[in-house]
Amino acid sequence: MYKLRPHHGLCSAFFCGHGYSEAFTANMTDVLRRFHRDDPYLTLTVGEDCICQSCPHNCAHVCDAAEKVARYDNAVLSYCGLAPGSVLRWSAFCRRVDAEILDRGLLREICGDCAWVSICEKGNRNR
């Protein structure tokens, strides 16, 4: 079972090979490939997850933008009717994020101050 930050459900929808570093991009590509192939169970967490592990903003297991990403995580949880520790399959989580956030046009409301939001708004969902 994988741990996943809820806001990564948004990031994953538009990921197109750009990232904070080569290591981050390679890890994100690998994680998403496994998730799409295996449809694993996830435990939603508001801490470090399998994507954060290779992020240059991960400083001693804590994001250097912890307040901002916690806000994103909590918004995703709230809109999707989930809580930290919720367990569900990757596909079920994606369907929920798509229906409750993306299909309703709420991306900018949740993460409008993210450096990557313009890429997401221009991109096509990749799931």
Side-chain angles (χ1 to χ4, degrees):
M1 184 163 335
Y2 295 89
K3 289 183 180 180
L4 190 73
R5 291 194 82 122
H7 83 270
H8 286 150
L10 299 173
C11 304
S12 66
F14 301 101
F15 180 71
C16 58
H18 300 287
Y20 300 109
S21 67
E22 266 187 52
F24 175 86
T25 301
N27 182 58
M28 181 79 148
T29 300
D30 183 55
V31 167
L32 293 179
R33 185 179 310 121
R34 280 185 275 137
F35 283 11
H36 289 300
R37 182 189 66 218
D38 301 337
D39 193 22
Y41 281 99
L42 309 172
T43 300
L44 299 181
T45 182
V46 292
E48 182 184 42
D49 69 2
C50 58
I51 293 172
C52 299
Q53 292 171 7
S54 297
C55 183
H57 295 282
N58 182 356
C59 304
H61 307 288
V62 177
C63 182
D64 66 9
E67 184 179 316
K68 180 166 72 170
V69 297
R71 182 170 30 92
Y72 298 167
D73 288 335
N74 289 322
V76 171
L77 290 170
S78 178
Y79 279 112
C80 292
L82 297 166
S86 293
V87 175
L88 64 168
R89 285 201 178 271
W90 165 250
S91 59
F93 179 58
C94 290
R95 283 192 303 273
R96 202 171 249 186
V97 167
D98 289 352
E100 301 302 329
I101 298 171
L102 299 177
D103 292 348
R104 295 173 58 198
L106 299 173
L107 180 70
R108 185 162 280 280
E109 183 173 319
I110 293 171
C111 53
D113 60 346
C114 173
W116 302 98
V117 73
S118 63
I119 290 174
C120 298
E121 289 179 327
K122 290 179 199 168
N124 295 316
R125 284 187 229 171
N126 59 26
R127 47 177 173 234

